[in-house]
Amino acid sequence: MSIQPVETPSNKDRVYIFDTTLRDGEQSPGATMTLEEKLQVAEALDDMGVDIIEAGFPIASIGDFEAVSEVARRSKNAVIAGLARAIPADIARAGEAVRHARQGRIHTFVSTSPIHLAHQMRKTGEEVLEIITATVTQARNLIDNVEWSAMDATRTPIDFLCRCAELAIRAGATTINIPDTVGYAVPEEHYQLFGTLIERVPGGDKVIWSTHCHNDLGLAVANSLAGVRAGARQVECTINGLGERAGNAALEEIVMALRTRADAMPYHTNIETTHLARASKIVSAAANFPVQYNKAIVGKNAFAHESGIHQDGMLKNAETYEIMTPASVGIKETTLVMGKHSGRAAFKDKLRELGYELGDNAFQEAFVRFKDLADRKKHVYDADIVALVDDEVGSAGDRIKLVDMEVVSKTGGVHRCDMTLSVDGEDVSVTYDGTGSVDAIFNAIKQAVGKEPHLVLYAVDGVTGGTDAQASAHVRLEMNGRIVSGNAAEPDTLMASARAYLNAYNRLLIERGAAAQGALAG
Ligand code: KIV
Ligand code: ZN
């Protein structure tokens, strides 16, 4: 079943949200997610009202194929898309992966710009036109919901782009996507590009036109909205703007811009905006990608008012400095939750309120960690519970686990870490003297596991305020050209650092097929 525009007053201004966090977002260096994490993200997107979830690139690896298939099987309302290059094997694999969805979509793409044709594809324009007809026809014979994308469309001469889109439509594509693959467009130009395509391409009134903007110049959201203004009715975006290089257009920004400025942009989406803050947290934890503090809509400071004048105004009337309410994006007051006397039922209730439904084992493990935290920390806040559960889900199935750690640190003296790790079920004990405690911990882990990843980033932040706040540690590692991130939250900073490092290390051990990755460009 395909989504087709039906020109009625009620839906001609409806913008379909196509989320590609699990595909374009996951391509971001260090943002690899496990199957469990992908399923958690997909569920949050589906519950939030995302129209189309691009769940991955099935030919890239067995893991990607399984993730797309499983997301498809579990989908409730969203259309599930699988990406495919303009290669018959890719298209067949994508078709197979989305087969179990209530509604599946094959999304196939080919480069159209002269620079890609000459240097990447080594094909002539005529050859690309033939490829479009053949591959879209193949996809359409497998499924009736086919999206075709012109990679690097914004650097493609307009006449050739029109011809490509025309052939894709003629071969049966139901959505035509015009990616700004390299983030080169500016809004006015993007508006004109969509206007021209929609007007000139034969059959253009029978398909949905789609924007897909990258943020290299910080213009992804502005360009997407310009596309909508010109007639595009699908926007491709990611939670937190996750994506390669500077990322993709941020879903939460597009949705809230359309909602808050409906006076200037009279279009609507189906997104339940009160889910945005939680979706942002889930994606940030799953991809191990911190959200910048001043990120619009979902950053820690997005609704914080620091200056005296602003605070004074806010106390008198929130509208003085707030154009949307924190509640409208799902940000609640941080609430004090339970202490060490709280039982299982209360903890389960709190998890439900925070949007978590854990299986029996995961619940039991989370409860044990909650009790441990409540023993050590006077006040346990919602944010602590979110950090704890996200951490738990993120570390399920780890091959390297921390069994025991002791760190000794003396002014001007030794910084020693004694550590026991379980590596594939076997205990390994090591001692390492470092130039500081963290250096000792990280080197002890490397020694125990016997591999030498390069530390790209190490950062620590407080989950809430106060000296007893949990420390949230972030680690990014690189090995053999692969970058992964790790995250952990603990009341003790050194313990959080060790666990974040291990979390990243475990991700390095998750195999990911390289077959098709090199061919992806944003
Ligand atoms: O940016 C891009 O061109 C893409 C395509 C694969 C749609 O992500
Ligand atoms: Zn892209």
Side-chain angles (χ1 to χ4, degrees), residues 20 23-25 27 54 151 177 179-182 212-214 236 244-245 247-248 521-522:
T20 182
R23 199 278 297 170
D24 224 343
Q27 277 171 232
E54 185 162 58
M151 185 180 257
N177 184 36
D180 184 23
T181 305
V182 292
H212 175 113
C213 298
H214 281 266
E236 303 200 353
E244 279 199 84
R245 309 186 307 277
N248 288 58

Side-chain angles (χ1 to χ4, degrees), residues 86 109-117 120-121 123-124 128-129 132 148-153 156 160 164 181 519 521:
F109 70 96
V110 69
S111 289
T112 52
S113 69
I115 188 159
H116 278 214
L117 260 56
Q120 197 180 4
M121 309 258 307
K123 298 247 182 265
T124 63
V128 166
L129 294 174
I132 293 169
W148 175 79
S149 284
M151 185 180 257
D152 206 15
T156 302
F160 185 63
C164 290
T181 305

Side-chain angles (χ1 to χ4, degrees), residues 34-112:
T34 63
L35 174 63
E36 267 314 304
E37 289 163 342
K38 287 182 185 176
L39 295 176
Q40 199 194 5
V41 169
E43 188 177 17
L45 297 173
D46 208 342
D47 289 346
M48 188 163 84
V50 162
D51 298 290
I52 304 107
I53 298 173
E54 185 162 58
F57 184 23
I59 196 91
S61 69
I62 303 223
D64 269 42
F65 177 80
E66 281 170 355
V68 179
S69 313
E70 199 49 37
V71 169
R73 266 189 210 99
R74 297 186 189 199
S75 59
K76 294 174 230 164
N77 298 303
V79 173
I80 307 301
L83 185 70
R85 291 169 298 185
I87 296 176
D90 278 41
I91 293 170
R93 194 79 171 139
E96 213 183 316
V98 300
R99 191 161 57 96
H100 299 290
R102 285 183 62 253
Q103 297 184 59
R105 172 181 293 189
I106 296 176
H107 174 194
T108 183
F109 70 96
V110 69
S111 289
T112 52

Side-chain angles (χ1 to χ4, degrees), residues 167-467:
L167 290 187
I169 295 171
R170 220 189 284 161
T174 45
T175 299
I176 301 292
N177 184 36
I178 304 297
D180 184 23
T181 305
V182 292
Y184 180 72
V186 294
E188 199 44 43
E189 194 179 275
H190 217 50
Y191 172 81
Q192 276 168 15
L193 174 64
F194 273 90
T196 307
L197 284 165
I198 294 170
E199 190 190 303
R200 272 184 47 186
V201 174
D205 55 335
K206 304 278 186 308
V207 294
I208 290 196
W209 291 88
S210 166
T211 72
H212 175 113
C213 298
H214 281 266
N215 205 28
D216 299 66
L217 294 173
L219 293 170
V221 169
N223 286 332
S224 304
L225 295 174
V228 169
R229 212 157 46 83
R233 286 295 176 269
Q234 174 177 289
V235 175
E236 303 200 353
C237 44
T238 58
I239 299 284
N240 298 335
L242 191 68
E244 279 199 84
R245 309 186 307 277
N248 288 58
L251 181 149
E252 61 280 1
E253 294 178 24
I254 287 164
V255 168
M256 287 313 285
L258 290 177
R259 181 180 147 149
T260 309
R261 293 307 312 274
D263 57 328
M265 297 177 285
Y267 315 102
H268 59 274
T269 71
N270 195 35
I271 299 295
E272 175 48 61
T273 62
T274 56
H275 289 216
L276 289 172
R278 179 160 153 57
S280 161
K281 287 209 179 78
I282 290 176
V283 168
S284 168
N288 278 314
F289 237 80
V291 176
Q292 83 195 51
Y293 284 5
N294 60 344
K295 165 84 180 58
I297 318 294
V298 291
K300 213 170 183 169
N301 288 356
F303 292 92
H305 300 274
E306 192 69 38
S307 92
I309 298 177
H310 285 212
Q311 283 180 351
D312 179 54
M314 285 293 294
L315 288 173
K316 289 175 178 145
N317 181 342
E319 280 181 30
T320 49
Y321 289 98
E322 230 164 54
I323 56 168
M324 56 202 154
T325 64
S328 68
V329 301
I331 296 176
K332 299 188 195 110
E333 285 286 299
T334 299
T335 54
L336 182 62
V337 289
M338 309 145 297
K340 59 180 172 185
H341 300 298
S342 310
R344 279 191 166 66
F347 185 59
K348 198 164 240 168
D349 264 3
K350 178 50 85 179
L351 289 181
R352 210 168 287 131
E353 183 193 319
L354 293 171
Y356 292 101
E357 287 290 344
L358 300 186
D360 288 348
N361 289 347
F363 174 78
Q364 185 51 30
E365 278 167 31
F367 185 65
V368 170
R369 285 195 61 199
F370 159 69
K371 281 299 218 187
D372 178 49
L373 183 64
D375 265 342
R376 291 186 284 158
K377 191 173 183 288
K378 210 160 135 203
H379 302 303
V380 180
Y381 296 91
D382 286 359
D384 287 316
I385 303 225
V386 169
L388 182 150
V389 179
D390 288 344
D391 213 24
E392 196 61 52
V393 173
S395 59
D398 283 355
R399 286 175 57 187
I400 318 170
K401 292 189 166 106
L402 182 63
V403 178
D404 192 41
M405 180 174 95
E406 188 179 319
V407 181
V408 176
S409 216
K410 276 199 183 136
T411 321
V414 70
H415 302 277
R416 174 165 302 154
C417 173
D418 287 307
M419 175 181 277
T420 303
L421 294 179
S422 162
V423 183
D424 287 330
E426 281 206 9
D427 280 6
V428 184
S429 295
V430 286
T431 297
Y432 197 96
D433 288 350
T435 51
S437 317
V438 173
D439 183 52
I441 293 169
F442 289 0
N443 278 299
I445 297 175
K446 284 204 271 191
Q447 192 170 300
V449 185
K451 291 207 172 86
E452 281 287 321
H454 166 63
L455 180 68
V456 180
L457 175 140
Y458 166 60
V460 181
D461 188 15
V463 171
T464 57
T467 50

